[in-house]
Amino acid sequence: MNPESVQQLCAGNPRAVARAISAVERGGAAARAVIAAIFRYTGRAHVIGVTGAPGTGKSTLVNEIAKQYRRRGQRVGIVAVDPTSPFSGGAILGDRLRMQDLSGDPGVFIRSMATRGSLGGLAAATSDAVQVLDAAGFEIVLVETVGAGQSEVEIAANAHTTIVVEAPGMGDDIQAIKAGILEIADLLIVNKADHDEVSATVAALEMNLNLKPQAENDWRPPVLKTIALTGAGVADAVEWIGKHRAYLEAHRLLELRERARFRAELEMVVQRELITRLLRGVNGTKIETLVEQIAARELDVYAAAEVLVGGIQNGANPIFAATD
Amino acid sequence: MADRPIRVLIAKPGLDGHDRGAKVVARALRDAGMEVIYTGIRQTPEMIAEAALQEDVDVVGLSILSGAHLDLFPRVVDLLRQKGLDDALLVCGGIIPDEDMPALRRMGFAGVFGPGTFTQDVAKFIREEVARKRGAAAQ
Ligand SMILES: Nc1nc2c(ncn2[C@@H]2O[C@H](COP(=O)(O)OP(=O)(O)OP(=O)(O)O)[C@@H](O)[C@H]2O)c(=O)[nH]1
Ligand SMILES: [Mg+2]
């Protein structure tokens, strides 16, 4: 990235921001160049993950939450992730449709992302896109993902504050419990509170929370009701986001969580790089030969893998020398 | 470096009340492997240009039924140019009389698709044009 683009990006120039996000989405050297240039300007944004079952009203809620922050004078970046079709590789990215109130506001930047190919790739791309928005001076960054599929859930859970959105009207069936995403919630929001059965859903969630052992200093997620269509209850939800932030600060959890996240990211990148570099050094015919040997039952898969990576341990690389 | 999927913005400017046709095209393009940002009906030229900018799309597709295309489309094109998006491929469709086609082409619309167009043809056109633009940009 040239210094001029970095400067434009940090000044919040939308074209520069948009192109940087495209680059990080592409991954590889393009992504590395962007992150290398902007990383030092990151670390200021409060990142809010919003996840939940399809159709619970996440995008409509994100629209309302963003409006609340705009009223407080804060700039808001939004990353909305929708699934790529496994059949065609294409996607329909429709979250923006619910965020039209925000258009025309230069203090808001919305970017739609498809999950694309690899799981690890998505986590890296969204995390990098969040960093771009952070460097561009968006004080609040909202990340919407569908709460189905592990990597999408992880992305939301990587935020400073994670909101799990539930909608009433499915009887006793709490989607968030089924999807196993209740555990990651800092705030639980029952949206579509204009429907019947809201109180049943709230009660079921409260009961679930009560089952969880609670230590003295633990954060207890509030169960909140909103009607995202009208904005009712959203100001209260934003107050709670603020309380959660204050809690994180009071317990030094921002630093701890950030370090945990960097450690996980570092491990992930190391794994990916090692595999890429290792396989680059191995010629294709060697792998083919091993596959043939496996098929002929001369070697099992573990033994064949050992042929490829066995040499590494004895190599001069200090990283390997340092482990066990 | 592998090419990214083609990103397309599909928008309906003006006051058209329904968007069945635009949705059919959006789905067809998804099935052709493209990422389609769908913003729905009643979009102002400003909203369309802003979305195209933020989403960094390769293609802006406008669909219109109301007959206001000669009024609205030039404003979209102007705004895109102002924002530095002059490299995006412009296509449009809907109810567009034959006699308006030359004017739209002069405006910069490379593809003008009237009623009865097959969605596969739209996808093929976009794929070929974007490949050509990307090829030229890589030179
Ligand atoms: N009645 C009612 N409808 C709502 C409310 N919030 C959202 N909706 C509607 O629910 C539908 C889905 O809303 P979205 O915001 O697109 O939901 P989502 O969770 O983002 O959906 P996906 O991204 O597809 O998973 C839309 O038709 C909304 O208008 C609400 O509070 N009450
Ligand atoms: Mg959504």
Side-chain angles (χ1 to χ4, degrees), chain A residues 50-63 80-83 94-95 97-99 144-147 165 168 190-195 226-232:
Chain A
V50 179
T51 192
T56 45
K58 298 178 292 296
S59 301
T60 317
L61 195 60
V62 163
N63 176 64
V81 183
D82 273 322
D95 295 317
L97 187 64
R98 311 279 173 210
M99 304 182 187
E144 174 188 341
T145 65
V146 177
V165 184
V190 182
N191 186 44
K192 307 198 184 185
D194 49 327
H195 285 189
T226 59
I227 306 172
L229 271 186
T230 65

Side-chain angles (χ1 to χ4, degrees), chain B residues 103-123:
Chain B
L104 291 170
R105 289 195 198 284
R106 272 197 305 278
M107 245 179 252
F109 285 88
V112 183
F113 301 100
T117 307
F118 289 107
T119 51
Q120 301 97 293
D121 294 337
V122 180

Side-chain angles (χ1 to χ4, degrees), chain A residues 14-15 18-19 22 25-27 30 84-85 88-94 96-97 100 102-106 108-114 116, chain B residues 1-2 4-5 7 23 26-27 29-43 47 50-51 53-56 83-85 87:
Chain A
R15 179 96 171 121
R19 304 198 88 153
S22 297
E25 238 189 326
R26 215 169 278 143
T84 292
S85 154
S88 70
I92 290 188
L93 310 174
R96 218 186 160 93
L97 187 64
Q100 308 218 0
L102 305 171
S103 70
D105 181 348
V108 175
F109 189 102
I110 306 172
R111 181 62 175 246
S112 314
M113 277 173 68
R116 293 195 185 168
Chain B
M1 191 193 309
R4 67 167 183 173
R7 282 171 71 86
K23 278 185 175 155
R27 259 179 249 126
L29 297 182
R30 175 201 56 197
D31 293 342
M34 301 178 198
E35 293 180 356
V36 183
I37 294 105
Y38 187 66
T39 56
I41 58 173
R42 305 244 160 87
Q43 299 284 296
M47 292 162 97
E50 180 184 60
L53 179 73
Q54 295 180 349
E55 301 289 355
D56 193 25
K83 292 178 192 287
L85 281 167
D87 50 344

Side-chain angles (χ1 to χ4, degrees), chain A residues 5 15 18 27 32 39 49 70 87 117 131 152 166 192 200 215 223 241 244 246 268 274 278 281 289 296 303 311:
Chain A
S5 318
R15 179 96 171 121
R32 280 201 290 270
F39 189 68
R70 290 302 293 141
F87 305 108
Q131 286 179 17
E152 276 120 310
E166 185 68 37
K192 307 198 184 185
V223 183
I241 296 170
H244 182 249
M268 199 176 72
L274 279 180
L278 178 74
T289 315

Side-chain angles (χ1 to χ4, degrees), chain B residues 4-5 17 50 58 97 99 128:
Chain B
R4 67 167 183 173
E50 180 184 60
D58 303 291
E99 64 260 33
E128 286 171 0

Side-chain angles (χ1 to χ4, degrees), chain B residues 47-117:
Chain B
M47 292 162 97
I48 294 168
E50 180 184 60
L53 179 73
Q54 295 180 349
E55 301 289 355
D56 193 25
V57 292
D58 303 291
V59 185
V60 176
L62 304 180
S63 156
I64 197 156
L65 307 171
S66 65
H69 45 279
L70 290 183
D71 177 30
L72 293 169
F73 287 11
R75 285 167 55 204
V76 176
V77 175
D78 283 348
L79 285 166
L80 289 174
R81 295 215 171 109
Q82 270 174 38
K83 292 178 192 287
L85 281 167
D86 12 30
D87 50 344
L89 174 70
L90 301 178
V91 297
C92 62
I95 301 179
I96 291 167
D98 285 346
E99 64 260 33
D100 291 345
M101 295 211 178
L104 291 170
R105 289 195 198 284
R106 272 197 305 278
M107 245 179 252
F109 285 88
V112 183
F113 301 100
T117 307

